[in-house]
């Protein structure tokens, strides 16, 4: 990291002080499992925002572009990028905003997967809760942040793909019909491999994983806000049998649908 043409690490970091002038973490926030997140459309004139998804998933609208942020991903949102979370369920998240003493060579949003010891260690350092804000960055903390961002060089979020948008709309309206990825591909007149490729580029996740997330998110809302039975909920979101639904739900939430309903 830091040696490619896309590197975000500047050639010179001020050497004479342990603190870097005008480099601050300006916000830290976290949401527990099951918390809902919503916000009006907005942008930050001078600050970056970074959201680390521990568990669950979050769908953003970034300047009119949808992006699905799944488990173990960090989304970095640059200054001036209009954004808001569209929906969230079963979410565990940490978030920071920060200012830099220099401009970075990107002006949009991008994803960083948290995978392996290097990015995990950097993420823990950057997203560790602080005693007060604004928190001045040490050279070490700034270096950790830049190297974490550097891991996302070349992973910019793609512009909205109308084909993906139409496939999502088609599936979202027909969850109870047991829609498959093959159905989604047919609805937009492309092959499954083509849909997979374009869906991953636009959303950062496969259409199959997105579809499962839609089903389980809808199921969690039905369990939380209605009195429908687990079997009814399973059928409502497109599962043919309750055991398969319950197994998928437990894998997602760590508890059964019935247990989740009791804890709602």
């Amino acid at each position: 990291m830091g040696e490619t043409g896309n590197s975000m690490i500047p050639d010179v970091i001020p050497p004479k002080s342990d603190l870097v002038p005008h480099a601050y973490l300006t916000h830290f926030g976290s949401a527990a499992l099951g918390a809902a997140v919503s916000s009006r459309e907005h942008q930050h004139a001078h600050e970056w925002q970074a959201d680390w998804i521990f568990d669950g998933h979050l769908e953003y609208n970034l300047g009119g572009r949808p992006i699905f942020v799944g488990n173990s991903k960090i989304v970095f949102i640059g200054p001036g990028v209009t954004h808001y979370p569209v929906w969230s369920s079963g979410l565990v998240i940490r978030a920071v905003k920060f200012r830099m003493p220099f401009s970075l060579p990107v002006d949009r949003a991008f994803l960083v997967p948290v995978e392996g010891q290097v990015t995990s260690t950097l993420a823990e350092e950057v997203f560790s809760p602080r005693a007060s804000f604004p928190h001045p960055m040490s050279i070490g903390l700034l270096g950790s942040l830049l190297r974490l961002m550097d891991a996302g060089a070349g992973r910019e979020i793609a512009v909205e793909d109308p084909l993906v948008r139409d496939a999502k709309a088609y599936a979202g309206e027909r969850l109870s019909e047991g829609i498959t990825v093959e159905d989604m591909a047919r609805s937009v007149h492309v092959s499954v491999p083509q849909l997979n490729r374009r869906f991953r580029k636009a959303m950062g996740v496969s259409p199959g994983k997105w579809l499962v997330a839609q089903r389980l998110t809808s199921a969690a809302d039905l369990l939380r806000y209605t009195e429908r039975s687990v079997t009814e909920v399973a059928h409502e979101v497109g599962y043919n049998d309750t055991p398969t639904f319950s197994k998928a739900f437990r894998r997602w939430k760590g508890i059964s649908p019935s247990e989740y309903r009791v804890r709602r």
Side-chain angles (χ1 to χ4, degrees), residues 12-48:
V12 178
I13 293 179
K16 293 186 178 180
S17 171
D18 185 47
L19 297 180
V20 185
H22 312 300
Y24 292 95
L25 291 175
T26 60
H27 170 79
F28 174 83
S30 63
L33 190 67
V37 172
S38 62
S39 176
R40 61 180 176 81
E41 184 176 78
H42 65 287
Q43 60 179 246
H44 310 292
H46 305 292
E47 291 182 330
W48 282 80

Side-chain angles (χ1 to χ4, degrees), residues 26-118:
T26 60
H27 170 79
F28 174 83
S30 63
L33 190 67
V37 172
S38 62
S39 176
R40 61 180 176 81
E41 184 176 78
H42 65 287
Q43 60 179 246
H44 310 292
H46 305 292
E47 291 182 330
W48 282 80
Q49 177 174 326
D51 295 337
W52 181 9
I53 312 301
F54 274 52
D55 192 19
H57 48 269
L58 190 61
E59 186 169 345
Y60 283 90
N61 186 303
L62 298 174
R65 297 167 291 161
I67 177 66
F68 181 99
V69 184
N71 187 33
S72 300
K73 297 283 195 311
I74 299 171
V75 58
F76 282 93
I77 303 170
V81 176
T82 301
H83 62 279
Y84 64 93
V86 178
W87 50 255
S88 173
S89 183
L91 184 69
V92 181
I93 186 173
R94 289 185 188 176
V96 295
K97 295 186 181 74
F98 55 92
R99 295 192 181 200
M100 291 292 198
F102 41 72
S103 297
L104 295 178
V106 290
D107 59 359
R108 54 187 305 181
F110 59 92
L111 290 175
V112 175
V114 180
E115 51 192 11
Q117 184 174 352
V118 173

